[in-house]
């Protein structure tokens, strides 16, 4: 049996994934971001609960525009991970497996996470 020739170089920018593939990849990326951010969130909560000075320190830190942008990015990560996770659970019980429904649920995930992020941005930057 002749071995199958494997590609030596795979250009990920030339691969045309369907929308459901991008939603799935973003689900994984958002999960990693949330996992990495979790210890910092626990630390910030601990500092803010340590007393009035700690609370003021965290409140002052969150007035910085870059900190608000990072927080907004984490809101997107949470919203996308949440809605994409619901989509994956629906797929696990065989809801929306046909191509049309899978495309519609992918659009719904992107729209819902985008809307949640826009609402958070409106609240953070208004």
């Amino acid at each position: 049996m002749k071995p199958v020739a494997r590609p030596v170089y795979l250009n990920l920018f030339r691969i045309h994934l369907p929308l459901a593939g991008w939603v799935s990849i973003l689900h994984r990326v958002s999960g990693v971001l949330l996992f990495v951010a979790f210890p910092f969130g626990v630390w910030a909560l601990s500092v803010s609960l340590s007393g009035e000075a700690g609370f003021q320190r965290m409140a002052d830190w969150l007035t910085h525009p870059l900190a608000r942008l990072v927080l907004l990015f984490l809101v997107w990560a949470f919203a996308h991970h949440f809605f994409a996770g619901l989509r994956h659970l629906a797929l696990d019980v065989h809801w929306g497996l046909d191509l049309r429904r899978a495309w519609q649920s992918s659009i719904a995930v992107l729209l819902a996470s985008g809307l949640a992020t826009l609402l958070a941005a409106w609240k953070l930057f208004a």
Side-chain angles (χ1 to χ4, degrees):
M1 180 176 273
K2 185 178 175 184
V4 177
R6 303 279 183 198
V8 177
Y9 173 69
L10 185 61
N11 188 350
L12 296 177
F13 296 107
R14 294 187 57 148
I15 294 176
H16 297 289
L17 283 176
L19 188 58
W22 284 106
V23 168
S24 181
I25 288 173
L26 288 174
H27 179 73
R28 293 169 189 242
V29 168
S30 63
V32 169
L33 286 172
L34 292 172
F35 180 77
V36 169
F38 185 74
F40 297 108
V42 170
W43 169 79
L45 181 64
S46 173
V47 169
S48 71
L49 294 176
S50 66
E52 192 174 328
F55 180 81
Q56 191 59 45
R57 182 172 150 200
M58 286 297 112
D60 291 342
W61 183 76
L62 283 175
T63 60
H64 193 278
L66 186 60
R68 287 184 179 191
L69 195 61
V70 168
L71 185 61
L72 185 63
F73 190 63
L74 289 174
V75 166
W76 169 82
F78 178 78
H80 183 81
H81 198 74
F82 177 76
F83 291 119
L86 291 178
R87 178 182 179 271
H88 283 298
L89 286 174
L91 293 174
D92 286 345
V93 294
H94 305 287
W95 290 347
L97 287 179
D98 60 295
L99 189 58
R100 184 171 159 262
R101 298 272 187 217
W103 185 81
Q104 288 174 342
S105 66
S106 298
I107 291 289
V109 165
L110 293 175
L111 288 176
S113 61
L115 180 63
T117 306
L118 283 175
L119 288 171
W122 178 57
K123 184 70 174 168
L124 276 173
F125 294 104

